[in-house]
Amino acid sequence: MAYLTGQDELLFFDKYPTAFPLYEVFVKELFEMFPSASMRVQKSQITFSNRHVFACVSFARVKKKAELPDPYIVVTLGLSYPLESDRVAVKTEPYPGRWTTHLVISSQSELDDEFYIWVRQAYDFSGSK
């Protein structure tokens, strides 16, 4: 069954319509990879989970406003390790063994195989807790 965008998601992107195509590519691939994942649209982010949250999409200010591209989305992943990549905007260890990693996505080319490997690792880590 193909993924269909919901009204809540469209409203979430109301102030950032040019970023919606980035999200659309991401979410369609995410649900192809993990058809049983759940999604919750909140005021400040869209959260994806299996047993626990493994990814979020937001417009978090993870860089200075002048450094953020237009359009962009921030994809946040929960990983078991500190991701070492130039693509990481911010990473923190909120508690031992859990790293919150923020990636700024500004083009569809950044939604590549390497990126989805990290998403898979976040999904697996979330499911193992």
Side-chain angles (χ1 to χ4, degrees), residues 61-116:
R61 290 276 167 82
V62 295
K63 293 182 175 186
K64 293 178 182 171
K65 187 174 182 176
E67 295 173 357
L68 288 168
D70 184 26
Y72 78 96
I73 58 174
V74 174
V75 176
T76 302
L77 302 174
L79 296 166
S80 63
Y81 66 96
L83 181 59
E84 299 299 332
S85 171
D86 292 341
R87 297 169 69 173
V88 173
V90 177
K91 61 186 168 199
T92 60
E93 188 179 22
Y95 57 87
R98 178 171 173 85
W99 288 85
T100 301
T101 305
H102 304 282
L103 301 123
V104 175
I105 305 297
S106 61
S107 74
Q108 290 184 14
S109 65
E110 294 172 303
L111 299 169
D112 58 9
D113 291 344
E114 180 180 48
F115 172 80
Y116 287 110

Side-chain angles (χ1 to χ4, degrees), residues 2 8 14 19 27-28 31 40 43 45 48 55-56 68-69 72 80 84 86 98 107 111 115 117 122 127:
D8 290 346
D14 195 42
V27 75
K28 284 180 180 179
F31 279 112
R40 188 172 75 216
K43 185 176 180 176
Q45 66 186 24
F48 302 92
C56 301
L68 288 168
Y72 78 96
S80 63
E84 299 299 332
D86 292 341
R98 178 171 173 85
S107 74
L111 299 169
F115 172 80
I117 288 170

Side-chain angles (χ1 to χ4, degrees), residues 5-25:
T5 303
Q7 187 64 33
D8 290 346
E9 292 163 284
L10 294 172
L11 288 172
F12 182 85
F13 282 89
D14 195 42
K15 293 181 182 175
Y16 306 95
T18 58
F20 184 73
L22 295 170
Y23 169 78
E24 203 169 26
V25 170

